[in-house]
Amino acid sequence: TVSVLYWIDSLERAYIARTLDVRQLALHRDAFLFPMPLSPDTLDVASACDAVEHVASLNTAAYADAIEPEPLNCFSTAVLPPLSLRELVTAMQRGTNGDDSLSGMALLLMLRFCDTADTPLTLKTMHRMYVGCLHLAMKTHSDAFFRNDAFAVIAGIGLREVNCFERVLLDGLRWRYLVEAPELAAFMQDPAAAADTAIRRVVDSTSCYLADASSCSDGEAVTSPKPCPGAMALPQSPVA
């Protein structure tokens, strides 16, 4: 009897997921949890986006002049997405009903990942890394968040990629995914200095945190940091 009820419930959930609008798959974010909420005046997300994108553009230009091409990882795109980071943040805020504090935490998680995993951020990895960090920030700082399949639809990527982003980010962050209010406030006060300090430059970095194709399949273990020259090329699609 229990098994029958379980499968009936599973089929009902699957039917609802296919028939309802994707925004109805998640709860409203009224119960957003964040210690010591920051004033909107202290959250200049646009300047933070510009600071992160500036360092990413410098690394992209350095790779263009380098002998070896930019190594591909699970955040790489085959072509540069047409959106700037600021435009992507705005689009994802509309799609997820998010706010500036959540976007700021996602940007800070990007810097923390680049610093911990020694990964030089580029324009080809910036968009998908932000999408993964945004989903992780929602899951870890809010009582209401989107399921992976619903978030994949909003971001315009596959469920397999969302699962891969989550595993790689958690491993690269060494499970340091919580962002405290003082840390976010310090980042917002001087985002340019924070981005320049945290994001490794191509000329200074000797290794990248990479995930090969096998790590992006469901049920696979997270890969360990690997040297850049040994990276495997992944079929990638730009974030919509």
Side-chain angles (χ1 to χ4, degrees):
T1 303
V2 174
S3 299
V4 172
L5 292 177
Y6 172 80
W7 285 112
I8 291 177
D9 181 70
S10 299
L11 291 174
E12 182 180 0
R13 289 175 180 270
Y15 174 77
I16 293 176
R18 291 179 178 274
T19 55
L20 292 182
D21 182 76
V22 68
R23 292 193 182 188
Q24 300 178 16
L25 295 176
L27 301 175
H28 294 292
R29 299 190 61 253
D30 297 333
F32 180 73
L33 296 181
F34 188 69
M36 300 171 56
L38 301 180
S39 170
D41 297 335
T42 63
L43 292 173
D44 189 359
V45 177
S47 297
C49 291
D50 294 340
V52 173
E53 187 167 3
H54 173 70
V55 179
S57 63
L58 294 178
N59 283 337
T60 301
Y63 272 124
D65 298 333
I67 299 177
E68 294 188 3
E70 177 183 341
L72 299 181
N73 56 48
C74 67
F75 300 111
S76 300
T77 56
V79 296
L80 290 178
L83 295 178
S84 66
L85 183 57
R86 185 189 297 194
E87 292 171 336
L88 175 63
V89 169
T90 302
M92 292 303 297
Q93 281 187 348
R94 291 196 302 264
T96 61
N97 194 28
D99 50 27
D100 286 344
S101 58
L102 187 64
S103 301
M105 286 187 285
L107 292 170
L108 186 55
L109 287 177
M110 288 178 64
L111 301 188
R112 187 183 294 175
F113 175 82
C114 292
D115 185 25
T116 306
D118 193 25
T119 300
L121 186 70
T122 68
L123 295 178
K124 288 188 176 182
T125 61
M126 175 181 66
H127 298 77
R128 291 158 65 88
M129 188 181 296
Y130 173 79
V131 168
C133 289
L134 176 64
H135 188 41
L136 185 60
M138 291 185 66
K139 278 191 168 184
T140 54
H141 295 85
S142 175
D143 282 345
F145 54 86
F146 290 94
R147 289 183 344 204
N148 285 17
D149 55 350
F151 188 81
V153 175
I154 295 174
I157 57 179
L159 174 60
R160 180 169 171 261
E161 293 171 299
V162 173
N163 295 336
C164 177
F165 295 167
E166 188 173 344
R167 289 194 297 267
V168 172
L169 286 171
L170 286 174
D171 193 44
L173 290 168
R174 300 173 186 172
W175 292 83
R176 292 180 57 248
Y177 47 74
L178 294 179
V179 177
E180 298 181 355
E183 186 180 12
L184 180 59
F187 166 56
M188 287 297 175
Q189 287 179 359
D190 195 354
D196 189 66
T197 302
I199 300 176
R200 295 295 184 263
R201 298 296 183 88
V202 172
V203 293
D204 298 330
S205 181
T206 58
S207 64
C208 297
Y209 187 85
L210 302 174
D212 58 27
S214 62
S215 69
C216 291
S217 59
D218 296 339
E220 294 289 342
V222 181
T223 57
S224 301
K226 298 181 179 180
C228 292
M232 296 179 61
L234 300 178
Q236 303 295 340
S237 57
V239 176

